[in-house]
Amino acid sequence: MSAHDPSKLLIVDDLPENLRALDALIRDEQRLVFQAQSGEEALSLMLEHDFALAILDVQMPGMDGFELAELMRSTSRTRNIPIVFVSAAGRELNYAFKGYETGAVDFLYKPLDPDAVRSKVHVFVTLDQQRREMQRQMEALEAARREQEVLLGELNATQAELQRSLRMRDEFMSLVAHELRTPLNTLFLETQMRSLQLKRGNLPAFNPDQMNNMIKRDERQIKAMIRLIDDMLDVSRMKSGTLSIRPAKVELMALLERVVNDLSLQAAAAGANVVLAPHHPVEGFWDEFRIEQVVVNLLTNAMRYGGGGAVEVSVHKEELQDGGCNVRIAVRDHGKGIAPDYIERIFEPYERGAKSGEPKGLGLGLYISRQLAVSHGGQLTVESTPGQGATFSLTLPCMETAVQPAAAPA
């Protein structure tokens, strides 16, 4: 019941004419009057309704008004209902004293004074309205308190996330500076060495073989910086929803053979052996450049963290119940594996593994790779047991026609 609902009043008398007269006297738009002709009927109504006031006739057959009052005071449900007794007996019987003893708030004698009855009822109705309004306000305050607790929790979480973002930003800027400084320092030293050789007139230092080696070293450093910048641009495009995916017809096995061959020197330097399991040609419509980007990322990580062992690349075509199919590219290494609580974190931006205590790269490769997989309607997952290596799986839908997928969500 809200504070604006009518207050409920209970009148109890064994004589119907008395009930009708009292009902007519106290009823109005802000009150609902319930009638009972016995104590048992009154108790039944009290179990169903919350009354602002009970007006009880003292002299009733069976359970009289005093007995009813004692039962009301013995039950928590009805204990706090104000009671006004009404009696036709003379004052000399001292019923009022007994009425107050049983918990009455007032005692009236018949014949009733209409103005006095209306005034008393008005007081208790007003108290009931005020009580319910106070209860409503308390409930509103409690709801506001709970809401403030939720908002405070959200604010604390937002503040913690903001602090984490600021910390990641600072770490990222430091890392970018470090990653760019390394190839730039190498190029700078190479330039100084060449300038020194030219000043000394040492032209044999620029013979074709040495010049070719210089150019290759320069290319490696420049490619490292380009790759770094490309990764940062890809992340920016993903977060803004402007990453471009251009599907075209691709033969997957030829792409994998080319990537494995291109990375053979890098694999040899890492002491790894990349093996591509044979498979019949697999064709589909994907963005060849982006798929190659994902595969290169997976192979580079496998060579970096695979402990110098074999890196196995395999292709699996999986038929679906709806008649379609998926192509799954699996890259497995035999390194130290990934801890269970770190499985999902490795796909977050700027999360980096460690090798010999030194962080490698910006920690964007797996994040970008997963977003590129999602852009193709696929997924990138990993399974790993610590000490037994890890298997990364790139799953792509078999698209028979070129479709422009939506850009990956940030």
Side-chain angles (χ1 to χ4, degrees):
M1 181 184 295
S2 73
H4 303 291
D5 291 334
S7 295
K8 296 180 179 180
L9 306 176
L10 175 63
I11 54 177
V12 185
D13 199 308
D14 61 306
L15 298 178
E17 58 271 22
N18 289 345
L19 290 175
R20 288 194 295 271
L22 189 54
D23 185 300
L25 185 62
I26 65 176
R27 181 182 294 274
D28 70 12
E29 295 179 354
Q30 293 299 316
R31 305 166 191 172
L32 288 177
V33 181
F34 293 78
Q35 301 178 10
Q37 292 185 251
S38 66
E40 292 80 2
E41 185 180 352
L43 287 174
S44 177
L45 287 171
M46 290 178 193
L47 294 176
E48 297 179 14
H49 304 279
D50 293 323
F51 290 107
L53 176 66
I55 302 177
L56 312 181
D57 183 44
V58 173
Q59 297 168 306
M60 293 187 296
M63 183 188 302
D64 64 22
F66 296 136
E67 293 173 330
L68 175 58
E70 290 176 356
L71 287 175
M72 290 172 60
R73 293 295 176 253
S74 66
T75 306
S76 60
R77 168 78 178 175
T78 58
R79 182 175 298 139
N80 296 318
I81 299 177
I83 298 173
V84 172
F85 282 118
V86 176
S87 175
R91 296 177 183 270
E92 66 276 4
L93 295 179
N94 206 16
Y95 275 0
F97 179 76
K98 186 176 181 181
Y100 292 127
E101 275 191 331
T102 56
V105 296
D106 208 345
F107 200 101
L108 301 178
Y109 289 95
K110 298 178 182 178
L112 299 175
D113 181 346
D115 292 332
V117 172
R118 292 192 192 96
S119 176
K120 294 180 185 298
V121 170
H122 176 74
V123 169
F124 288 107
V125 168
T126 301
L127 289 174
D128 178 64
Q129 294 284 343
Q130 291 174 347
R131 177 185 61 81
R132 283 188 281 145
E133 176 62 21
M134 183 176 297
Q135 183 178 1
R136 185 194 66 79
Q137 292 177 357
M138 291 296 292
E139 291 173 353
L141 286 173
E142 178 62 20
R145 184 190 64 79
R146 290 195 298 267
E147 184 177 353
Q148 286 179 347
E149 287 183 350
V150 172
L151 291 174
L152 182 60
E154 293 176 351
L155 178 62
N156 290 336
T158 301
Q159 185 177 13
E161 182 62 25
L162 177 60
Q163 291 176 346
R164 177 176 177 269
S165 298
L166 291 173
R167 185 172 62 255
M168 289 179 62
R169 181 204 64 184
D170 293 341
E171 292 176 356
F172 177 66
M173 296 304 296
S174 175
L175 187 62
V176 169
H178 171 76
E179 292 292 325
L180 283 174
R181 183 180 293 275
T182 300
L184 283 173
N185 282 342
T186 302
L187 286 174
F188 181 68
L189 289 174
E190 287 280 354
T191 303
Q192 284 188 319
M193 289 295 297
R194 292 168 200 171
S195 297
L196 183 60
Q197 296 290 0
L198 288 173
K199 288 179 180 178
R200 292 177 177 177
N202 186 14
L203 295 181
F206 299 94
N207 64 60
D209 290 337
Q210 291 183 334
M211 181 64 71
N212 187 48
N213 291 332
M214 292 178 189
I215 292 173
K216 288 182 178 179
R217 287 195 299 269
D218 290 348
E219 286 180 346
R220 283 196 299 270
Q221 303 309 322
I222 293 171
K223 285 181 179 178
M225 288 188 288
I226 292 174
R227 176 67 180 272
L228 183 68
I229 294 170
D230 284 344
D231 283 350
M232 290 188 292
L233 288 175
D234 279 344
V235 170
S236 177
R237 294 186 188 108
M238 288 172 183
K239 291 187 175 182
S240 64
T242 58
L243 181 68
S244 176
I245 301 295
R246 298 181 177 87
K249 191 172 183 180
V250 178
E251 202 289 288
L252 194 58
M253 292 306 298
L255 182 152
L256 294 176
E257 289 172 359
R258 182 177 71 252
V259 171
V260 170
N261 183 65
D262 290 346
L263 294 178
S264 58
L265 292 178
Q266 185 176 338
N273 179 31
V274 181
V275 179
L276 174 61
H279 194 283
H280 59 79
V282 179
E283 291 186 347
F285 277 85
W286 306 295
D287 187 322
E288 183 173 4
F289 172 76
R290 295 300 186 183
I291 299 303
E292 180 176 337
Q293 185 178 353
V294 175
V295 174
V296 168
N297 276 329
L298 296 182
L299 288 175
T300 301
N301 278 346
M303 289 184 288
R304 179 178 296 160
Y305 303 110
V311 176
E312 301 162 4
V313 185
S314 57
V315 175
H316 310 269
K317 194 169 184 180
E318 303 165 345
E319 301 295 332
L320 303 178
Q321 293 182 350
D322 60 4
C325 70
N326 284 335
V327 176
R328 181 169 60 88
I329 305 170
V331 177
R332 181 185 180 190
D333 66 64
H334 298 271
K336 62 182 181 181
I338 306 169
D341 59 346
Y342 204 70
I343 288 289
E344 284 304 313
R345 284 182 57 190
I346 62 175
F347 292 103
E348 295 180 7
Y350 318 127
E351 285 290 341
R352 306 181 303 279
K355 182 180 180 183
S356 302
E358 292 294 330
K360 297 293 183 179
L362 293 178
L364 296 175
L366 289 177
Y367 170 76
I368 292 172
S369 296
R370 172 169 277 189
Q371 300 304 317
L372 291 177
V374 173
S375 298
H376 284 79
Q379 58 181 342
L380 178 62
T381 58
V382 61
E383 295 179 358
S384 179
T385 301
Q388 300 182 23
T391 301
F392 286 83
S393 296
L394 170 63
T395 303
L396 301 169
C398 299
M399 295 194 296
E400 298 180 356
T401 58
V403 178
Q404 181 73 31

